[in-house]
Amino acid sequence: MSNKYLLDALRFSESRYRRLFESARDGILLLNFETAAIEDVNPYLMELLGYTYAEFMGKKVWEIGPFHNTHLSQESFMELQEKGIIRYDDMPLESKSGEKIEVEFVSNVYDCDGIKVIQCNIRDIRPRKKTEANMRMAAKVFESSGEAMMITDAEAYIISINQAFTRLTGYTLEEVQGRNPRMLASGKQDANFYHTMWEALNKEGYWQGEIWDKHKDGHIYPKWMSISTVHDEHGQVSNYISIATDVTARKQAEQRIQFLAYFDVLTDLPNRTLLHDRLEQLVAASHRDNHKFALMFIDLDHFKYVNDSMGHEVGDELLKAVALHLQQCVREGDTVSRIGGDEFIVLLRETENEGAASVAEKMLALLSSPYDIGDLQISTHASIGISIYPDHGGDADTLTKQADIAMYYAKDKGRNNYQFFTPD
């Protein structure tokens, strides 16, 4: 091999090293093995610390401002000469402008064709520490979140869950890790529901909605869940993250609000609003099918005396007992409603005068039976007015008004009886 070839190879090697040295994103110092004097410094370190090339050259490392008051000293480099390496994983420095910098400092001894050289690599670890801090914060948020969180891999197999997930589902990480979330399925959602969900995840990378799941103990509960798709640096799906909140209390509150809108709080019977809706529907259906139906207006006799003499608590218990008795007198599909105070309205579908009279007699007999309320035994009676569709009216308001008139006529007739509406 010719000397020229060897010289060219050496020049190429030196040129390649110089390019690497000058473009490195770590700070690099080259030191004399014997004296520890700086013989070269790369541009990145000059930029990081704010010192010029001239301010570095020929000085010992510990003589440069940023390295004052650090672990570096003549003794540490004597140790380096003996052991061949020194390392400090977290060394605080200060740049010429006063900026605080945390670095990883590693010095190694290299033998270059029989000549020993010290190379110091100085890496700014602030980005790494920031990333680690963010990861710790994310992990803390993940674990302490009040919302149930679940992370799966790209194939939708569970990798991790938090404590809120365990509280919500009853399952620990050991019980769900490596399993598909469909283990939680309640069966209330069909295949089309999940198809729509995955379509949104694949197209938009996000889905949210209400879903019913099954707890470990078997009970089914509603939750509001959002799922996000996570992509890697190549744009490929790497994970799915779901966040879920138990909405059982909200659903119960909604149901309670819905109930209060249409049902009487005391007796659980349909209230005036729901009665009017059902009456309108019954009028339309009876007109279409050419059927008759009866509307009964019921008012308890002397109920005010019970409230005044025995107290409202006793009166309320009596109203609840009356409601149960009235329901026992009608068929499934008929309506018993409380419209306020001691007034009730009953709708008897597909019923004429004879059927309505039979039900009224049964009601009067049952209502007259003594009620045991606490230590008291109370008897009550009622006055009942009856109107028949379409004989006494063709709309809800007219039928209600006519039955009300008939009920007052029953009171005039001595109470504890029923009367049909008649024009006179």
Side-chain angles (χ1 to χ4, degrees):
M1 186 177 295
S2 68
N3 290 336
K4 182 179 184 303
Y5 180 82
L6 291 173
L7 185 61
D8 289 343
L10 180 61
R11 287 171 178 168
F12 175 75
S13 178
E14 289 178 348
S15 174
R16 183 174 59 180
Y17 174 78
R18 174 54 57 178
R19 288 198 303 270
L20 292 172
F21 179 80
E22 292 182 352
S23 63
R25 299 310 294 168
D26 281 349
I28 302 175
L29 288 171
L30 296 180
L31 313 181
N32 183 285
F33 179 78
E34 299 295 336
T35 66
I38 298 173
E39 295 184 341
D40 206 352
V41 56
N42 73 338
Y44 178 81
L45 188 60
M46 289 187 283
E47 180 185 345
L48 179 68
L49 299 181
Y51 286 78
T52 65
Y53 188 79
E55 289 173 307
F56 276 102
M57 296 306 294
K59 295 184 174 63
K60 309 291 193 295
V61 176
W62 56 87
E63 294 175 347
I64 306 296
F67 296 97
H68 291 166
N69 304 317
T70 66
H71 299 295
L72 299 180
S73 63
Q74 187 170 357
E75 289 75 17
S76 66
F77 273 86
M78 290 174 61
E79 178 185 346
L80 172 62
Q81 290 168 333
E82 291 178 9
K83 296 183 177 180
I85 184 171
I86 58 172
R87 181 189 188 101
Y88 303 107
D89 292 325
D90 193 347
M91 178 185 286
L93 302 181
E94 183 175 316
S95 72
K96 195 173 185 179
S97 65
E99 181 183 9
K100 304 296 183 183
I101 304 171
E102 295 174 279
V103 301
E104 177 186 81
F105 184 96
V106 182
S107 286
N108 291 278
V109 177
Y110 295 98
D111 191 317
C112 299
D113 297 325
I115 300 174
K116 290 185 177 180
V117 177
I118 297 174
Q119 178 173 314
C120 303
N121 290 75
I122 301 161
R123 174 171 294 177
D124 185 355
I125 61 173
R126 288 175 297 174
R128 188 193 74 196
K129 295 190 77 170
K130 183 177 180 180
T131 300
E132 290 172 351
N134 289 339
M135 291 177 66
R136 286 193 297 271
M137 178 62 71
K140 186 175 182 180
V141 170
F142 178 81
E143 192 54 40
S144 62
S145 173
E147 297 179 307
M149 302 181 71
M150 173 179 67
I151 302 175
T152 75
D153 61 18
E155 302 300 321
Y157 290 103
I158 298 172
I159 297 173
S160 184
I161 60 171
N162 64 355
Q163 287 297 314
F165 181 95
T166 298
R167 291 194 297 270
L168 177 64
T169 68
Y171 290 100
T172 63
L173 176 60
E174 292 75 16
E175 292 172 314
V176 300
Q177 198 167 42
R179 301 179 66 181
N180 192 288
R182 59 174 167 262
M183 64 176 286
L184 304 172
S186 65
K188 292 196 70 168
Q189 282 83 30
D190 58 16
N192 185 60
F193 174 89
Y194 291 104
H195 174 77
T196 303
M197 181 182 78
W198 279 106
E199 188 175 40
L201 285 172
N202 292 331
K203 288 183 178 180
E204 303 170 16
Y206 184 77
W207 176 88
Q208 70 172 348
E210 184 180 289
I211 189 169
W212 288 75
D213 274 352
K214 182 183 291 186
H215 191 274
K216 182 180 177 180
D217 64 16
H219 81 267
I220 295 173
Y221 62 94
K223 66 183 184 182
W224 185 261
M225 184 167 69
S226 62
I227 307 175
S228 299
T229 305
V230 180
H231 296 87
D232 61 21
E233 62 273 18
H234 305 296
Q236 300 299 311
V237 175
S238 60
N239 302 95
Y240 295 100
I241 300 176
S242 75
I243 302 174
T245 304
D246 187 352
V247 293
T248 301
R250 191 193 76 190
K251 297 286 286 186
Q252 290 174 342
E254 290 174 353
Q255 292 170 356
R256 181 61 178 169
I257 292 171
Q258 182 76 4
F259 179 85
L260 293 176
Y262 294 103
F263 290 87
D264 175 55
V265 177
L266 180 64
T267 63
D268 292 344
L269 294 176
N271 63 11
R272 187 185 297 271
T273 301
L274 183 54
L275 170 70
H276 186 268
D277 182 61
R278 290 187 179 179
L279 181 51
E280 292 281 2
Q281 293 182 37
L282 188 55
V283 168
S286 298
H287 176 74
R288 181 187 65 244
D289 300 330
N290 196 28
H291 289 153
K292 291 187 176 185
F293 71 85
L295 187 152
M296 309 176 70
F297 202 118
I298 304 166
D299 185 271
L300 300 185
D301 296 330
H302 305 300
F303 179 75
K304 186 175 182 301
Y305 170 78
V306 174
N307 268 343
D308 292 345
S309 62
M310 302 181 186
H312 287 279
E313 290 186 4
V314 174
D316 288 347
E317 291 302 315
L318 177 59
L319 288 173
K320 289 193 281 187
V322 167
L324 289 174
H325 278 173
L326 292 177
Q327 289 174 292
Q328 293 171 10
C329 298
V330 301
R331 302 159 298 177
E332 184 177 355
D334 294 334
T335 296
V336 178
S337 67
R338 178 180 177 231
I339 61 172
D342 59 339
E343 295 180 333
F344 298 83
I345 288 182
V346 176
L347 304 178
L348 303 176
R349 57 184 178 79
E350 298 183 25
T351 302
E352 300 190 25
N353 294 49
E354 185 176 344
S358 176
V359 171
E361 290 170 0
K362 184 178 180 181
M363 286 179 175
L364 292 174
L366 196 57
L367 293 178
S368 298
S369 303
Y371 297 92
D372 292 321
I373 300 176
D375 297 331
L376 302 173
Q377 193 173 65
I378 303 173
S379 296
T380 189
H381 302 286
S383 299
I384 302 174
I386 306 171
S387 61
I388 302 293
Y389 172 88
D391 301 351
H392 304 140
D395 60 81
D397 291 340
T398 301
L399 288 168
T400 303
K401 179 181 177 182
Q402 311 298 42
D404 188 22
I405 292 173
M407 182 272 294
Y408 277 104
Y409 185 60
K411 286 188 178 293
D412 290 342
K413 297 286 287 184
R415 306 177 190 273
N416 192 27
N417 70 94
Y418 67 91
Q419 298 291 326
F420 284 90
F421 172 80
T422 57
D424 56 347

